[in-house]
Amino acid sequence: MWRAMTREDTRSHPMPSAPRLFFVTGETSGDLIGARLLRALRRRHGGDLAIAGLGGEAMAAEGLESLFDPAELSLFGLTELLPHLPRILRRRREVLSAIERFRPDAVIGIDASAFFRSVSKGLSRRGDPAARILYKAPQAWGYWAWRAKPLARLYDAILALLPFEPEFFARYGAQARFIGHPAIDAGIAAADGAAFRRAHGIPAEATLLVVLPGSRRGEVSRLLPIFREVVARLAVGRTGLHVVLPTVTSVAEAVRSGSADWPVPVEIVTGEAARYAAFRAADAALAASGTVTTELAIAGTPMVVAYRVSAVTGMVAHRVSRVEHVSIVNLVMDRAVVPEFLQERCTPDLLVPALADLLADGEARRRQLAGLAEAVVRLQPPSGVSPSEAAADIVLEIIARRGRAAADPSRPASAG
């Protein structure tokens, strides 16, 4: 799946009219967003695309041969990043060299904002003519606002997933365009939960909890033992409790071994379709903070969000945080629709009663379901097209505009 790009790649591309696109993704969520964007680009362009860069399994299914496994970039916090810094810098050089050989019309960074920012700085210093497009802006509004200041000169476009982001970035001179959240394109609401239960032998009347300990190795190692204890306590006095653990290939073995001794029936599934069907089948979810919480909201699955990072990273984050919430639903609604248990509050003592409230068919469950539905409405794109199609239109518009500027020396090129 992963291979080094050769000089032959730059000679065997389609006709010159085919847009040449280089992708930089680092997260599982970014891989899925990139795959949807590729499909939308092909629909909107109506012709060939020449693609290269970094992507995971979903983008591989769309024809991208990744330079290396982008999971290498899935690091969070100081204690995870520092030991791997030499390798990250080496990978950055490889990416810059690959871009120089590929000569793309646009370089698109998705859900790998820190790494892509570093790559974009390198391209800027080299005077590379490719447009630079940031798909999913860094959460500067949540932590360091100064991170927004250089974005105006680094990127030709910022594609914002959240409705309040354009106003925030505008205060720092950066233009961001709200396109809606790409998870809306995933077909989550149409997934068949009843069929999932039948396929996995889970009775229709059984209580089903979906457990999501994250897609990074560090997340899984910190959260899975806590989640195991939560499940064990929930099982006491509750007959017929089943658990499904949707995961990704990069951490599947760790999830499998970490859940081998759980006291309830556990199903481990991989793949986008199985994950969404599991969401629709579940009565509630225990989830690590991340994109998956938005997917659960679209599925209409009530949830409890839990997260824990290293003590050092947690201390720094607490000191610089500018927001009260971490999950997208709560940020969009500006209130605690979803219970969040972070750092020292990420304990079974707190998680168990919060989940028990959601598993009961009472006011807490009904109130959260109403909040989730309203948040999903706010995440819809402002235009009449899907989020991925809105993103594709902007990418093609920028490429066309820069092409016209290059053909007319008297016309200034777009910023970047």
Side-chain angles (χ1 to χ4, degrees), residues 244-286:
V244 59
L245 277 159
T247 189
V248 295
T249 303
S250 58
V251 296
E253 185 53 42
V255 169
R256 189 171 290 108
S257 61
S259 60
D261 65 343
W262 285 25
V264 300
V266 174
E267 289 288 338
I268 298 174
V269 298
T270 58
E272 193 175 16
R275 183 169 77 253
Y276 298 155
F279 293 174
R280 293 284 290 164
D283 295 290
L286 172 59

Side-chain angles (χ1 to χ4, degrees), residues 387-407:
S388 296
E389 288 173 331
D393 289 343
I394 293 172
V395 170
L396 295 173
E397 170 195 320
I398 289 171
I399 291 174
R401 185 170 69 239
R402 290 174 71 94
R404 290 192 297 270

Side-chain angles (χ1 to χ4, degrees), residues 63 80 108 132 221 234 241 244 298 327 364 378:
E80 282 193 13
I108 304 169
R132 299 187 295 274
S221 65
L234 284 172
L241 177 64
V244 59
I298 295 169
S327 60
R378 296 188 185 189

Side-chain angles (χ1 to χ4, degrees), residues 158-163 166 176-181 378-382:
I158 300 171
L159 310 185
L161 276 55
L162 306 179
R177 296 166 68 174
F178 173 55
I179 59 168
H181 200 288
R378 296 188 185 189
L379 291 170
Q380 296 283 343

Side-chain angles (χ1 to χ4, degrees), residues 188-189 279-280 282-283 294-302 365 369 372-373 376:
I188 300 170
F279 293 174
R280 293 284 290 164
D283 295 290
T294 305
E295 295 173 342
L296 288 165
I298 295 169
T301 308
R365 181 182 182 87
L369 287 172
L372 296 180
V376 171

Side-chain angles (χ1 to χ4, degrees), residues 118-142:
S118 179
V119 168
S120 296
K121 288 179 180 178
L123 294 174
S124 180
R125 284 193 291 267
R126 293 180 179 187
D128 192 289
R132 299 187 295 274
I133 300 171
L134 180 63
Y135 192 163
K136 188 177 180 182
Q139 296 178 347
W141 38 263

Side-chain angles (χ1 to χ4, degrees), residues 57-416:
E57 295 176 355
M59 295 188 75
E62 297 298 321
L64 179 71
E65 295 187 62
S66 188
L67 290 170
F68 53 84
D69 185 351
E72 293 184 25
L73 306 178
S74 297
L75 302 169
F76 185 84
L78 297 174
T79 56
E80 282 193 13
L81 177 62
L82 290 177
H84 300 280
L85 190 57
R87 174 170 52 80
I88 296 297
L89 293 175
R90 183 178 73 251
R91 289 306 198 186
R92 175 184 179 273
R93 291 192 295 269
E94 291 176 15
V95 168
L96 286 170
S97 295
I99 292 171
E100 184 177 16
R101 293 194 299 270
F102 187 68
R103 302 192 304 275
D105 296 302
V107 183
I108 304 169
I110 308 174
D111 213 4
S113 59
F115 184 78
F116 186 56
R117 183 171 64 249
S118 179
V119 168
S120 296
K121 288 179 180 178
L123 294 174
S124 180
R125 284 193 291 267
R126 293 180 179 187
D128 192 289
R132 299 187 295 274
I133 300 171
L134 180 63
Y135 192 163
K136 188 177 180 182
Q139 296 178 347
W141 38 263
Y143 295 96
W144 292 288
W146 56 264
R147 295 175 65 192
K149 294 180 180 178
L151 300 187
R153 64 176 181 272
L154 268 183
Y155 304 119
D156 294 85
I158 300 171
L159 310 185
L161 276 55
L162 306 179
F164 57 80
E165 289 182 319
E167 181 181 354
F168 168 81
F169 287 109
R171 295 202 293 267
Y172 297 90
Q175 292 188 352
R177 296 166 68 174
F178 173 55
I179 59 168
H181 200 288
I184 291 169
D185 291 344
I188 300 170
D192 193 336
F196 180 90
R197 284 183 177 246
R198 290 193 298 270
H200 294 275
I202 302 170
E205 67 278 7
T207 299
L208 180 58
L209 179 69
V210 63
V211 176
L212 298 139
S215 59
R216 300 183 182 105
R217 292 180 181 88
E219 291 172 335
V220 171
S221 65
R222 282 189 292 268
L223 294 177
L224 201 58
I226 298 171
F227 289 3
R228 182 205 182 282
E229 178 62 20
V230 171
V231 169
R233 295 192 192 183
L234 284 172
V236 175
R238 183 181 277 106
T239 59
L241 177 64
H242 286 64
V243 166
V244 59
L245 277 159
T247 189
V248 295
T249 303
S250 58
V251 296
E253 185 53 42
V255 169
R256 189 171 290 108
S257 61
S259 60
D261 65 343
W262 285 25
V264 300
V266 174
E267 289 288 338
I268 298 174
V269 298
T270 58
E272 193 175 16
R275 183 169 77 253
Y276 298 155
F279 293 174
R280 293 284 290 164
D283 295 290
L286 172 59
S289 176
T291 300
V292 71
T293 60
T294 305
E295 295 173 342
L296 288 165
I298 295 169
T301 308
M303 74 193 88
V304 169
V305 173
Y307 207 68
R308 181 178 288 183
V309 295
S310 70
V312 173
T313 301
M315 179 180 65
V316 173
H318 177 74
R319 291 177 66 89
V320 301
S321 177
R322 295 159 49 93
V323 293
E324 296 182 15
H325 311 291
V326 297
S327 60
I328 295 300
V329 167
N330 291 350
L331 288 166
V332 168
M333 297 296 291
D334 196 25
R335 60 184 175 89
V337 173
V338 174
E340 297 177 349
F341 298 92
L342 313 177
Q343 289 304 94
E344 67 275 3
R345 299 185 72 243
C346 180
T347 66
D349 287 345
L350 296 176
L351 293 169
V352 170
L355 277 168
D357 282 347
L358 295 180
L359 291 172
D361 190 15
E363 179 60 25
R365 181 182 182 87
R366 289 191 290 272
R367 188 168 56 248
Q368 185 178 141
L369 287 172
L372 296 180
E374 186 177 347
V376 171
V377 170
R378 296 188 185 189
L379 291 170
Q380 296 283 343
S383 60
V385 300
S386 73
S388 296
E389 288 173 331
D393 289 343
I394 293 172
V395 170
L396 295 173
E397 170 195 320
I398 289 171
I399 291 174
R401 185 170 69 239
R402 290 174 71 94
R404 290 192 297 270
D408 181 3
S410 66
R411 177 176 178 171
S414 58

